[in-house]
Amino acid sequence: AKGAVITSPIGLWAAPDGTLYFVEAGSSQVRSIGPDGKLGTVAGALAGAAVGLAAGVPVNGPGGLALDAEGRMYLVESLTGTIKRLVGDRLEAFAGTVSGYGGDGGPALQAAFQSPAGLLFVPEPAPATGAALWIADVLNQAIRRVGPDGVVSTVARKAESKELDGRVAYPRLAVPLGAPASLARASDGRIYVADTKRHVIWRLDPAGGDVEVFAGSLKGEPGGEGDGEGVAACRLHFPSSVVIDAKDR
């Protein structure tokens, strides 16, 4: 991988076997760096060492990635509003049909998303089993999910009022989401969402309850001040990604 030409890399995802995956936005590809340090192309138009047949399949605006418990890769195609799944060395449709909004209560392949971005597998709250694929549905200003049964639902969505009003917490289906772009899960199971347009990090519990402002201005004011103070006192400026480490930092 050293010395390779890589254009506009976005994100970094680690697989259990030590392989690193990232989106190369400049070439609309998903690339990999194996434990041996070799660079490969996983999906998208060929440019470099191909990993499988999916490496010859065009990808329209690759965005977020996620790996399920079996190590299968899920890939956002933001320009088509769809999510693909890499099975073996082939890409197959998993969710989405056309760009738009709709399909809650029905199968994933009949749902509509608009410029989806971040993906995250979230274990189902007990006593249910399995994991749902959560989706940051950016232009629909919503957090959607595909359950283990393949049915789509909305976890949180924008409110009638599109601005933060100084409150810390909002009902799930009346949250002033702006552009939810990235998702991360802490060890206690709570989910954190980077909202690029509202300049905040949201927090919610998959088991239920309100959606809270975790970091950033309670009125959505951008800025860069607040270092050394509590997260509630800080100001953020277009946060586009959120990551949580093994120590919940």
Side-chain angles (χ1 to χ4, degrees), residues 32-199:
S32 66
I33 300 176
D36 58 1
K38 293 183 178 179
L39 181 68
T41 300
V42 179
L46 287 171
V51 174
L53 297 179
V57 178
V59 178
N60 295 309
L65 300 177
L67 301 174
D68 66 14
E70 298 177 10
R72 293 176 299 188
M73 177 186 292
Y74 294 71
L75 166 67
V76 162
E77 267 197 358
S78 60
L79 297 183
T80 62
T82 61
I83 297 163
K84 303 294 180 67
R85 178 169 59 187
L86 185 63
V87 179
D89 61 0
R90 297 178 182 274
L91 274 179
E92 65 178 26
F94 174 75
T97 172
V98 294
S99 183
Y101 181 84
D104 279 9
L109 286 174
Q110 295 179 16
F113 305 90
Q114 193 168 10
S115 193
L119 299 177
L120 179 69
F121 275 99
V122 178
E124 292 284 81
T129 59
L133 180 63
W134 284 36
I135 303 158
D137 197 351
V138 180
L139 293 186
N140 283 324
Q141 297 172 292
I143 305 297
R144 316 277 297 281
R145 66 185 287 280
V146 180
D149 57 0
V151 174
V152 173
S153 59
T154 296
V155 177
R157 68 183 181 201
K158 65 181 180 181
E160 291 296 327
S161 172
K162 297 183 179 180
E163 303 298 331
L164 280 81
D165 58 15
R167 285 182 287 167
V168 172
Y170 297 83
R172 284 175 179 251
L173 299 183
V175 184
L177 292 170
S182 176
L183 308 166
R185 180 176 180 270
S187 62
D188 64 4
R190 289 187 290 186
I191 307 303
Y192 294 76
V193 183
D195 190 331
T196 305
K197 188 174 181 179
R198 299 289 179 241
H199 312 289

Side-chain angles (χ1 to χ4, degrees), residues 184-188 243-249:
R185 180 176 180 270
S187 62
D188 64 4
V243 177
I244 298 174
D245 69 12
K247 295 183 179 180
D248 278 343
R249 294 176 296 188

